[in-house]
Amino acid sequence: MEPDSLPTEVILTHPRQSLGKVQLDWTPQPGNYLDFQGKTYAVLERRHRYQFKSGRYRLHNIAIYVQSAQRPAEKSLLNGRWVVGDATCVYNAHSEIVRCAVNPQGPCQDCRYYEKV
């Protein structure tokens, strides 16, 4: 195993099942998107699994819990992170996963509920 490569198990949340394992050279965070076996998934949760070896705990692998998703076409940079939709709207959730309460499917452009912050 390469030192910068993380052994990662990809687990579908509903129905709960393991989709397989993959070596990643980046750390998946909730809100990121992952292309795996020809499909796109949104990362919902990340869990570290440790192993006790030679008197200390070492990161053994990572499990990410995902759901099937489409990459959002609209994204805004807000305080150094990407959020879904137009972050200048008062109804935007400022989330990597959810756009807003009034128009969660989007698009933000020409939305009748749009109100500038």
Side-chain angles (χ1 to χ4, degrees):
M1 177 177 77
E2 300 170 20
D4 60 348
S5 177
L6 301 169
T8 305
E9 181 177 9
V10 181
I11 302 169
L12 187 65
T13 56
H14 187 74
R16 180 161 280 179
Q17 67 182 35
S18 177
L19 298 176
K21 295 184 180 185
V22 64
Q23 296 285 120
L24 297 177
D25 59 356
W26 58 284
T27 304
Q29 299 288 339
N32 290 149
Y33 290 87
L34 172 73
D35 293 321
F36 185 69
Q37 296 177 343
K39 293 184 181 177
T40 301
Y41 298 96
V43 177
L44 302 177
E45 183 178 345
R46 181 184 77 207
R47 293 184 185 172
H48 295 146
R49 296 181 178 161
Y50 294 89
Q51 184 177 42
F52 189 74
K53 193 173 185 179
S54 301
R56 62 185 234 182
Y57 286 96
R58 303 187 110 190
L59 181 60
H60 180 64
N61 68 12
I62 293 175
I64 56 173
Y65 293 81
V66 300
Q67 73 179 16
S68 184
Q70 291 183 340
R71 289 181 189 270
E74 295 176 295
K75 292 192 279 186
S76 301
L77 189 61
L78 180 69
N79 298 328
R81 64 186 179 94
W82 289 101
V83 298
V84 179
D86 185 350
T88 64
C89 179
V90 296
Y91 296 111
N92 187 278
H94 297 174
S95 166
E96 298 92 345
I97 300 172
V98 178
R99 179 186 312 271
C100 71
V102 295
N103 189 12
Q105 299 302 317
C108 293
Q109 184 178 0
D110 301 324
C111 175
R112 65 184 175 145
Y113 300 106
Y114 177 83
E115 289 183 35
K116 191 161 180 77
V117 176

